Amino acid sequence: MSNKDKKVRIALLGGAGMMGQGIVRDLLSDRAIVDIAELKLFDSSRERMRALGDAMDNDARLSLHELDVSDAQALRRALDGVDICVNAVPTLAGHQMAIFAAALDARADYVDLGGLGTYTVKQLEWHERFRAAGVVAVLGVGADPGMSNVICRAVADQLDEIDSIHLYWAATLSGAENPVLVPPYSVSTVLAEYAHPCVQFLGGRHVECAPQTGKEVIDLPEPWGRCEFMYSIHSEQLTVPLADGIRQKGIQEFTWKLHLPKREHEAWVGLVKAGFGDFERLLDINGTPVRPLDLLNAVINRNIAENAQRIPAQQSSEIHFAIGRGRVGGQPATARCEVIVRAHPMYEGYVDAATSMNASIAVQLMLRQSGDLRRPGVYAPEAYFDAKSYFVEAEKRQFAISLTRQIG
């Protein structure tokens, strides 16, 4: 029996969180290309799990399990008998390597959502261990990283020689201005993007750059318009320029840049100025040690809950694009791959449809592989997925994809 016909069992850790809920929705939708026997959802919040179960009409394939991922024995038991472990626990919570190791021990394939490259290099060093065990791990399989890595592969495949690839992501919101700060994703992730030094690939080597530098203005179609981008901590620049089929083409420069909507951008800049960029070091408040991140999360979540009626309906649009420059047949050439995600009824109920849907795509493409197509080891997305097959699944989810090349 091929993997295309096999009933699969999936363990989703952190499954009732913002991204996990979206992964559940997509895996159990009619877009699925795998036959799921059981989707085991693990989370520390029974309340959130029950709410998600109710939202999914208590789908018989979905089972709910409380789990403290810091309990090594419980974590190992959670992965017994599953085909793949989907790690949607926030990376900066500090459990990434423990979950990664537990998947290897359980001989379960593994994916995570990346986490800014915090553990990416360390995880890639486990390639031979995973290969010898016959286990596949693909790191960073959301939208950025994830789909973004795949569009870089698509661009690279259009060029015989590569001088540079520049990768960008921009989001914008349409509708009435929101009087409440609603994070676009994990608060720790946004703060790290704005406050922590990042590594870019410049002059043929990795270079540390200060946060909020590398500013570049690009005119984009509406609704984005003129956008100012900045360097940001991420994992794509750690892996793409070193990937087989890319580094051999002579790449000398690879960067990743971010643009958030103006008001939200100003809010995060302000929080960093206030000192929240140092979000792990304990702060003494009336004799009680408190992490600034925990305090900020609590205040933001309380504010959202208490002002829910003031949050206007807004439509989010995002654009992901990579521009590669080099040569084809000795002639100067430019390749561009662009993915646009606009508001769509399909995304109702998702916090971040692009991230969670792309994670679901990656999981399903991995589960479909068998025989010679299956390559045990640890990979970044650009080294594992075929861009053409990946884009077929992305287009099912109403992502608008274009790939162009100009020569001369």
Side-chain angles (χ1 to χ4, degrees):
M1 180 169 62
S2 74
N3 280 20
K4 294 181 181 180
D5 304 313
K6 175 184 175 182
K7 285 184 173 291
V8 297
R9 286 179 167 78
I10 301 169
L12 175 54
L13 309 186
M18 290 192 297
M19 298 305 107
Q21 291 189 36
I23 296 171
V24 169
R25 292 176 186 278
D26 196 76
L27 285 173
L28 298 181
S29 73
D30 58 7
R31 296 179 292 277
I33 56 173
V34 294
D35 190 354
I36 297 175
E38 184 179 16
L39 174 53
K40 300 177 70 175
L41 190 154
F42 295 91
D43 202 276
S44 59
S45 171
R46 171 64 62 172
E47 182 181 355
R48 287 200 308 262
M49 286 193 292
R50 285 175 175 163
L52 178 59
D54 290 343
M56 299 303 298
D57 295 326
N58 295 305
D59 190 301
R61 295 169 292 176
L62 182 64
S63 61
L64 310 178
H65 310 267
E66 286 189 60
L67 176 68
D68 176 359
V69 294
S70 66
D71 182 334
Q73 292 185 344
L75 174 60
R76 178 60 184 82
R77 289 194 300 270
L79 302 184
D80 279 340
V82 303
D83 296 286
I84 193 166
C85 167
V86 184
N87 178 8
V89 176
T91 304
L92 297 181
H95 304 293
Q96 191 97 335
M97 294 305 297
I99 297 170
F100 184 62
L104 175 61
D105 188 43
R107 300 299 188 267
D109 288 349
Y110 171 92
V111 299
D112 59 39
L113 301 182
L116 308 176
T118 306
Y119 297 100
T120 300
V121 174
K122 184 182 294 186
Q123 288 173 289
L124 288 169
E125 293 173 353
W126 288 42
H127 176 79
E128 286 303 320
R129 292 191 226 181
F130 273 72
R131 187 193 62 77
V135 180
V136 179
V138 184
L139 313 174
V141 298
D144 293 89
M147 180 178 65
S148 57
N149 300 67
V150 177
I151 69 176
C152 290
R153 168 60 68 181
V155 161
D157 289 347
Q158 294 292 307
L159 301 170
D160 296 338
E161 301 172 69
I162 303 172
D163 294 328
S164 65
I165 298 177
H166 297 295
L167 177 62
Y168 305 86
W169 176 72
T172 189
L173 296 168
S174 302
E177 183 175 334
N178 193 344
V180 178
L181 178 62
V182 179
Y185 33 81
S186 165
V187 171
S188 60
T189 299
V190 189
L191 288 174
E193 289 178 327
Y194 274 78
H196 293 182
C198 64
V199 173
Q200 306 292 331
F201 191 74
L202 304 170
R205 63 189 182 91
H206 284 109
V207 177
E208 184 174 284
C209 301
Q212 300 180 44
T213 58
K215 292 183 179 178
E216 178 183 2
V217 175
I218 300 178
D219 289 320
L220 296 175
E222 291 300 328
W224 296 277
R226 176 159 290 194
C227 294
E228 182 178 80
F229 291 85
M230 67 180 190
Y231 287 153
S232 176
I233 185 171
H234 243 244
S235 64
E236 293 94 330
Q237 56 267 39
L238 302 177
T239 65
V240 172
L242 304 182
D244 286 343
I246 296 179
R247 71 175 187 276
Q248 295 91 339
K249 295 183 179 183
I251 187 168
Q252 292 295 299
E253 188 167 299
F254 183 95
T255 61
W256 188 87
K257 295 184 179 182
L258 164 76
H259 169 85
L260 288 182
K262 186 175 185 297
R263 291 297 190 192
E264 283 70 18
H265 169 78
E266 292 171 345
W268 297 110
V269 169
L271 286 168
V272 170
K273 286 182 178 180
F276 282 99
D278 183 1
F279 52 75
E280 289 291 344
R281 190 157 55 101
L282 293 177
L283 181 68
D284 185 277
I285 300 179
N286 297 326
T288 302
V290 177
R291 285 198 315 164
L293 177 60
D294 295 335
L295 174 64
L296 183 60
N297 262 320
V299 172
I300 287 176
N301 290 335
R302 183 185 67 181
N303 195 45
I304 290 172
E306 291 182 352
N307 294 281
Q309 72 283 357
R310 299 177 61 209
I311 298 176
Q314 291 182 313
Q315 291 191 333
S316 174
S317 300
E318 57 188 89
I319 181 170
H320 313 249
F321 62 102
I323 301 172
R325 294 182 174 86
R327 281 158 295 285
V328 172
Q331 297 294 312
T334 300
R336 178 181 176 121
C337 188
E338 179 178 284
V339 181
I340 290 177
V341 184
R342 299 181 187 273
H344 190 278
M346 182 185 292
Y347 308 150
E348 185 177 351
Y350 290 80
V351 174
D352 179 350
T355 294
S356 50
M357 286 183 169
N358 274 290
S360 173
I361 289 171
V363 167
Q364 294 183 63
L365 289 176
M366 290 170 66
L367 289 170
R368 290 260 292 187
Q369 292 180 338
S370 60
D372 293 339
L373 294 177
R374 181 178 164 80
R375 293 184 290 127
V378 183
Y379 303 90
E382 73 277 2
Y384 198 79
F385 297 116
D386 167 69
K388 184 177 180 180
S389 301
Y390 193 101
F391 290 160
V392 168
E393 294 305 312
E395 286 175 335
K396 287 181 184 177
R397 291 153 176 85
Q398 303 302 314
F399 299 170
I401 303 169
S402 67
L403 177 61
T404 59
R405 183 177 69 178
Q406 292 183 336
I407 300 176

Coordinates of all heavy atoms in Angstrom, one line a residue, residues 5 11 25 50 68 129 141 147 155 165 167 185-186 217 228 239 242 255 257 341 347 393:
D5 N -2.6 5.8 -0.2 CA -3.8 5.1 0.2 C -3.8 4.8 1.7 O -4.8 4.4 2.2 CB -3.8 3.7 -0.6 CG -3.7 3.9 -2.1 OD1 -4.5 4.8 -2.6 OD2 -2.9 3.2 -2.7
A11 N 0.0 13.8 15.1 CA 0.0 14.4 16.4 C 0.3 15.9 16.2 O 1.3 16.2 15.6 CB 1.1 13.8 17.3
R25 N -8.1 23.0 11.0 CA -9.2 23.3 10.1 C -8.9 22.9 8.7 O -9.7 22.3 7.9 CB -9.5 24.8 10.1 CG -10.1 25.3 11.4 CD -10.3 26.8 11.4 NE -10.8 27.3 12.7 CZ -12.1 27.3 13.1 NH1 -13.0 26.8 12.3 NH2 -12.4 27.8 14.3
R50 N -11.7 22.1 23.7 CA -13.1 21.8 23.6 C -13.8 22.8 22.7 O -14.7 22.5 21.9 CB -13.7 21.9 25.0 CG -13.4 20.7 25.9 CD -14.0 20.8 27.3 NE -13.8 19.6 28.1 CZ -13.9 19.6 29.4 NH1 -14.2 20.7 30.1 NH2 -13.7 18.4 30.0
D68 N 1.5 18.5 28.9 CA 2.5 19.4 29.3 C 3.8 19.0 28.6 O 4.4 18.0 28.9 CB 2.7 19.4 30.9 CG 3.9 20.2 31.4 OD1 4.5 20.9 30.5 OD2 4.1 20.2 32.6
R129 N 21.4 11.7 11.9 CA 20.7 10.9 12.9 C 19.3 10.6 12.3 O 18.8 9.5 12.4 CB 20.5 11.7 14.2 CG 21.8 11.9 14.9 CD 21.5 12.5 16.3 NE 22.4 13.6 16.7 CZ 22.4 14.2 17.8 NH1 21.5 13.9 18.7 NH2 23.2 15.2 18.0
V141 N 7.7 25.4 8.2 CA 6.8 25.1 7.1 C 5.5 25.9 7.1 O 4.5 25.5 6.6 CB 6.4 23.6 7.1 CG1 7.6 22.7 7.0 CG2 5.6 23.2 8.4
M147 N 6.4 28.5 2.8 CA 6.1 28.9 1.4 C 7.1 29.9 0.8 O 7.5 29.8 -0.4 CB 4.7 29.5 1.3 CG 4.3 29.9 -0.1 SD 2.6 30.6 -0.2 CE 2.9 32.1 0.8
V155 N 12.4 30.7 -7.9 CA 13.2 31.7 -8.5 C 14.6 31.2 -8.9 O 15.1 31.4 -10.1 CB 13.3 32.9 -7.6 CG1 14.5 33.8 -8.0 CG2 12.0 33.7 -7.6
I165 N 19.3 36.9 -4.3 CA 17.8 36.7 -4.2 C 17.4 37.5 -3.0 O 18.0 37.4 -1.9 CB 17.5 35.2 -3.9 CG1 17.9 34.3 -5.1 CG2 16.0 35.1 -3.7 CD1 17.6 32.8 -4.9
L167 N 14.1 38.5 -0.6 CA 12.8 37.9 -0.2 C 12.1 39.0 0.7 O 12.7 39.5 1.6 CB 13.0 36.6 0.5 CG 11.8 35.9 1.1 CD1 10.8 35.5 0.0 CD2 12.3 34.7 1.9
Y185 N 0.8 37.6 14.9 CA 1.2 36.3 15.3 C 1.8 36.4 16.7 O 1.5 37.4 17.4 CB 2.2 35.7 14.3 CG 3.1 36.6 13.6 CD1 4.3 37.1 14.2 CD2 2.8 37.2 12.3 CE1 5.1 38.0 13.6 CE2 3.7 38.1 11.7 CZ 4.8 38.5 12.3 OH 5.6 39.4 11.7
S186 N 2.6 35.4 17.1 CA 3.1 35.4 18.5 C 3.8 36.7 18.9 O 4.6 37.2 18.1 CB 4.1 34.2 18.6 OG 4.8 34.3 19.8
V217 N 12.5 51.1 0.3 CA 11.1 51.4 -0.1 C 10.8 50.8 -1.4 O 11.5 51.0 -2.4 CB 10.9 52.9 -0.1 CG1 9.5 53.3 -0.6 CG2 11.1 53.5 1.3
E228 N 7.8 50.4 3.2 CA 9.1 50.4 3.7 C 9.4 49.1 4.4 O 8.8 48.7 5.3 CB 9.4 51.6 4.7 CG 10.8 51.7 5.1 CD 11.1 52.8 6.1 OE1 10.8 52.7 7.3 OE2 11.6 53.8 5.6
T239 N 19.4 29.3 5.4 CA 19.3 28.0 4.7 C 19.3 28.2 3.1 O 20.0 27.5 2.4 CB 18.1 27.2 5.1 OG1 16.9 27.9 4.7 CG2 18.1 27.0 6.6
L242 N 22.6 28.4 1.0 CA 23.4 27.2 1.2 C 22.8 26.0 0.6 O 23.5 24.9 0.6 CB 23.7 27.0 2.7 CG 24.3 28.2 3.4 CD1 24.6 27.8 4.9 CD2 25.6 28.7 2.8
T255 N 18.7 38.2 1.3 CA 18.1 39.0 2.4 C 16.6 38.7 2.6 O 16.0 38.3 1.6 CB 18.3 40.5 2.2 OG1 17.6 40.9 1.0 CG2 19.8 40.9 2.1
K257 N 13.2 40.6 4.2 CA 12.7 41.9 4.8 C 11.2 41.9 5.0 O 10.5 41.2 4.3 CB 13.1 43.1 3.8 CG 14.6 43.3 3.7 CD 14.9 44.5 2.8 CE 16.4 44.7 2.7 NZ 16.8 45.9 1.9
V341 N -2.1 36.8 -1.0 CA -3.2 36.2 -0.2 C -4.1 37.3 0.2 O -3.8 38.1 1.0 CB -2.7 35.4 1.0 CG1 -3.8 34.7 1.7 CG2 -1.6 34.5 0.6
Y347 N -11.2 31.6 4.5 CA -10.3 31.9 5.6 C -11.1 32.2 6.9 O -10.5 32.5 8.0 CB -9.4 33.0 5.3 CG -8.6 32.8 4.0 CD1 -8.2 34.0 3.3 CD2 -8.3 31.6 3.5 CE1 -7.5 33.8 2.1 CE2 -7.6 31.5 2.3 CZ -7.2 32.6 1.6 OH -6.5 32.5 0.4
E393 N -1.1 22.9 -4.6 CA -1.9 22.8 -3.3 C -2.2 24.3 -2.8 O -3.3 24.5 -2.3 CB -1.1 22.0 -2.3 CG -1.0 20.6 -2.6 CD -2.3 19.9 -2.9 OE1 -3.2 20.1 -2.1 OE2 -2.4 19.2 -3.9

